[in-house]
PDB file of all heavy atoms in Angstrom:
ATOM      1  N   LYS A 257      17.257  -6.072  21.129  1.00 90.00           N
ATOM      2  CA  LYS A 257      16.511  -6.528  19.951  1.00 90.00           C
ATOM      3  C   LYS A 257      15.127  -5.887  19.963  1.00 90.00           C
ATOM      4  O   LYS A 257      14.438  -5.919  20.967  1.00 90.00           O
ATOM      5  CB  LYS A 257      16.380  -8.046  19.949  1.00 90.00           C
ATOM      6  CG  LYS A 257      17.712  -8.739  19.725  1.00 90.00           C
ATOM      7  CD  LYS A 257      17.569 -10.246  19.733  1.00 90.00           C
ATOM      8  CE  LYS A 257      18.911 -10.898  19.553  1.00 90.00           C
ATOM      9  NZ  LYS A 257      19.577 -11.169  20.824  1.00 90.00           N
ATOM     10  N   LEU A 258      14.742  -5.298  18.830  1.00 88.00           N
ATOM     11  CA  LEU A 258      13.418  -4.673  18.734  1.00 88.00           C
ATOM     12  C   LEU A 258      12.313  -5.712  18.719  1.00 88.00           C
ATOM     13  O   LEU A 258      11.234  -5.490  19.259  1.00 88.00           O
ATOM     14  CB  LEU A 258      13.324  -3.836  17.447  1.00 88.00           C
ATOM     15  CG  LEU A 258      14.029  -2.494  17.476  1.00 88.00           C
ATOM     16  CD1 LEU A 258      13.955  -1.832  16.116  1.00 88.00           C
ATOM     17  CD2 LEU A 258      13.419  -1.583  18.524  1.00 88.00           C
ATOM     18  N   PHE A 259      12.556  -6.848  18.060  1.00 90.00           N
ATOM     19  CA  PHE A 259      11.554  -7.901  17.945  1.00 90.00           C
ATOM     20  C   PHE A 259      12.171  -9.232  18.348  1.00 90.00           C
ATOM     21  O   PHE A 259      12.597 -10.009  17.490  1.00 90.00           O
ATOM     22  CB  PHE A 259      11.022  -7.978  16.500  1.00 90.00           C
ATOM     23  CG  PHE A 259      10.559  -6.652  15.971  1.00 90.00           C
ATOM     24  CD1 PHE A 259      11.322  -5.929  15.074  1.00 90.00           C
ATOM     25  CD2 PHE A 259       9.356  -6.106  16.406  1.00 90.00           C
ATOM     26  CE1 PHE A 259      10.906  -4.704  14.595  1.00 90.00           C
ATOM     27  CE2 PHE A 259       8.934  -4.874  15.938  1.00 90.00           C
ATOM     28  CZ  PHE A 259       9.718  -4.172  15.038  1.00 90.00           C
ATOM     29  N   PRO A 260      12.217  -9.489  19.664  1.00 93.00           N
ATOM     30  CA  PRO A 260      12.803 -10.751  20.123  1.00 93.00           C
ATOM     31  C   PRO A 260      12.104 -11.944  19.472  1.00 93.00           C
ATOM     32  O   PRO A 260      10.890 -11.925  19.269  1.00 93.00           O
ATOM     33  CB  PRO A 260      12.555 -10.733  21.630  1.00 93.00           C
ATOM     34  CG  PRO A 260      12.356  -9.297  21.979  1.00 93.00           C
ATOM     35  CD  PRO A 260      11.728  -8.666  20.771  1.00 93.00           C
ATOM     36  N   SER A 261      12.871 -12.944  19.124  1.00 94.00           N
ATOM     37  CA  SER A 261      12.402 -14.188  18.480  1.00 94.00           C
ATOM     38  C   SER A 261      12.009 -14.000  17.020  1.00 94.00           C
ATOM     39  O   SER A 261      11.322 -14.847  16.457  1.00 94.00           O
ATOM     40  CB  SER A 261      11.222 -14.813  19.240  1.00 94.00           C
ATOM     41  OG  SER A 261      11.621 -15.120  20.560  1.00 94.00           O
ATOM     42  N   TYR A 262      12.468 -12.900  16.380  1.00 94.00           N
ATOM     43  CA  TYR A 262      12.185 -12.701  14.957  1.00 94.00           C
ATOM     44  C   TYR A 262      13.426 -12.251  14.214  1.00 94.00           C
ATOM     45  O   TYR A 262      14.241 -11.497  14.727  1.00 94.00           O
ATOM     46  CB  TYR A 262      11.076 -11.651  14.749  1.00 94.00           C
ATOM     47  CG  TYR A 262       9.723 -12.159  15.132  1.00 94.00           C
ATOM     48  CD1 TYR A 262       9.219 -11.931  16.403  1.00 94.00           C
ATOM     49  CD2 TYR A 262       8.954 -12.905  14.244  1.00 94.00           C
ATOM     50  CE1 TYR A 262       7.983 -12.414  16.781  1.00 94.00           C
ATOM     51  CE2 TYR A 262       7.719 -13.394  14.614  1.00 94.00           C
ATOM     52  CZ  TYR A 262       7.231 -13.141  15.878  1.00 94.00           C
ATOM     53  OH  TYR A 262       6.017 -13.642  16.247  1.00 94.00           O
ATOM     54  N   VAL A 263      13.539 -12.731  12.986  1.00 95.00           N
ATOM     55  CA  VAL A 263      14.566 -12.311  12.041  1.00 95.00           C
ATOM     56  C   VAL A 263      13.793 -11.856  10.796  1.00 95.00           C
ATOM     57  O   VAL A 263      12.797 -12.470  10.421  1.00 95.00           O
ATOM     58  CB  VAL A 263      15.506 -13.494  11.693  1.00 95.00           C
ATOM     59  CG1 VAL A 263      16.443 -13.138  10.572  1.00 95.00           C
ATOM     60  CG2 VAL A 263      16.282 -13.930  12.918  1.00 95.00           C
ATOM     61  N   ILE A 264      14.231 -10.772  10.189  1.00 94.00           N
ATOM     62  CA  ILE A 264      13.561 -10.235   9.005  1.00 94.00           C
ATOM     63  C   ILE A 264      14.419 -10.591   7.782  1.00 94.00           C
ATOM     64  O   ILE A 264      15.621 -10.288   7.759  1.00 94.00           O
ATOM     65  CB  ILE A 264      13.358  -8.717   9.110  1.00 94.00           C
ATOM     66  CG1 ILE A 264      12.788  -8.320  10.489  1.00 94.00           C
ATOM     67  CG2 ILE A 264      12.476  -8.206   7.977  1.00 94.00           C
ATOM     68  CD1 ILE A 264      11.447  -8.906  10.836  1.00 94.00           C
ATOM     69  N   VAL A 265      13.809 -11.236   6.791  1.00 95.00           N
ATOM     70  CA  VAL A 265      14.535 -11.733   5.630  1.00 95.00           C
ATOM     71  C   VAL A 265      13.982 -11.127   4.348  1.00 95.00           C
ATOM     72  O   VAL A 265      12.762 -11.148   4.126  1.00 95.00           O
ATOM     73  CB  VAL A 265      14.445 -13.281   5.531  1.00 95.00           C
ATOM     74  CG1 VAL A 265      15.207 -13.811   4.333  1.00 95.00           C
ATOM     75  CG2 VAL A 265      14.940 -13.934   6.809  1.00 95.00           C
ATOM     76  N   LYS A 266      14.876 -10.577   3.504  1.00 94.00           N
ATOM     77  CA  LYS A 266      14.466 -10.076   2.192  1.00 94.00           C
ATOM     78  C   LYS A 266      14.748 -11.178   1.186  1.00 94.00           C
ATOM     79  O   LYS A 266      15.908 -11.587   1.014  1.00 94.00           O
ATOM     80  CB  LYS A 266      15.232  -8.812   1.810  1.00 94.00           C
ATOM     81  CG  LYS A 266      14.746  -8.214   0.498  1.00 94.00           C
ATOM     82  CD  LYS A 266      15.418  -6.903   0.187  1.00 94.00           C
ATOM     83  CE  LYS A 266      14.767  -6.253  -1.018  1.00 94.00           C
ATOM     84  NZ  LYS A 266      15.365  -4.922  -1.252  1.00 94.00           N
ATOM     85  N   MET A 267      13.686 -11.670   0.546  1.00 94.00           N
ATOM     86  CA  MET A 267      13.856 -12.814  -0.341  1.00 94.00           C
ATOM     87  C   MET A 267      12.761 -12.879  -1.408  1.00 94.00           C
ATOM     88  O   MET A 267      11.715 -12.250  -1.278  1.00 94.00           O
ATOM     89  CB  MET A 267      13.838 -14.112   0.465  1.00 94.00           C
ATOM     90  CG  MET A 267      12.529 -14.369   1.194  1.00 94.00           C
ATOM     91  SD  MET A 267      12.565 -15.779   2.317  1.00 94.00           S
ATOM     92  CE  MET A 267      12.400 -17.139   1.181  1.00 94.00           C
ATOM     93  N   ILE A 268      13.049 -13.646  -2.444  1.00 92.00           N
ATOM     94  CA  ILE A 268      12.041 -14.002  -3.441  1.00 92.00           C
ATOM     95  C   ILE A 268      11.575 -15.394  -3.022  1.00 92.00           C
ATOM     96  O   ILE A 268      12.388 -16.319  -2.906  1.00 92.00           O
ATOM     97  CB  ILE A 268      12.638 -14.040  -4.857  1.00 92.00           C
ATOM     98  CG1 ILE A 268      13.119 -12.638  -5.255  1.00 92.00           C
ATOM     99  CG2 ILE A 268      11.615 -14.571  -5.862  1.00 92.00           C
ATOM    100  CD1 ILE A 268      13.906 -12.592  -6.550  1.00 92.00           C
ATOM    101  N   VAL A 269      10.285 -15.552  -2.769  1.00 90.00           N
ATOM    102  CA  VAL A 269       9.782 -16.838  -2.283  1.00 90.00           C
ATOM    103  C   VAL A 269       9.616 -17.819  -3.437  1.00 90.00           C
ATOM    104  O   VAL A 269       8.846 -17.590  -4.363  1.00 90.00           O
ATOM    105  CB  VAL A 269       8.439 -16.672  -1.537  1.00 90.00           C
ATOM    106  CG1 VAL A 269       7.883 -18.027  -1.138  1.00 90.00           C
ATOM    107  CG2 VAL A 269       8.632 -15.821  -0.304  1.00 90.00           C
ATOM    108  N   THR A 270      10.398 -18.875  -3.367  1.00 89.00           N
ATOM    109  CA  THR A 270      10.251 -20.020  -4.266  1.00 89.00           C
ATOM    110  C   THR A 270      10.234 -21.243  -3.357  1.00 89.00           C
ATOM    111  O   THR A 270      10.513 -21.122  -2.150  1.00 89.00           O
ATOM    112  CB  THR A 270      11.440 -20.132  -5.245  1.00 89.00           C
ATOM    113  OG1 THR A 270      12.625 -20.392  -4.480  1.00 89.00           O
ATOM    114  CG2 THR A 270      11.612 -18.872  -6.088  1.00 89.00           C
ATOM    115  N   ASN A 271       9.944 -22.402  -3.898  1.00 89.00           N
ATOM    116  CA  ASN A 271       9.973 -23.607  -3.069  1.00 89.00           C
ATOM    117  C   ASN A 271      11.344 -23.783  -2.436  1.00 89.00           C
ATOM    118  O   ASN A 271      11.458 -24.098  -1.253  1.00 89.00           O
ATOM    119  CB  ASN A 271       9.632 -24.843  -3.905  1.00 89.00           C
ATOM    120  CG  ASN A 271       8.160 -24.903  -4.258  1.00 89.00           C
ATOM    121  OD1 ASN A 271       7.348 -24.170  -3.707  1.00 89.00           O
ATOM    122  ND2 ASN A 271       7.818 -25.762  -5.194  1.00 89.00           N
TER     123      ASN A 271
END
Side-chain angles (χ1 to χ4, degrees):
K257 292 180 182 91
L258 283 175
F259 308 104
S261 300
Y262 288 94
V263 172
I264 313 299
V265 181
K266 184 175 188 176
M267 62 187 282
I268 297 172
V269 176
T270 64
N271 287 347

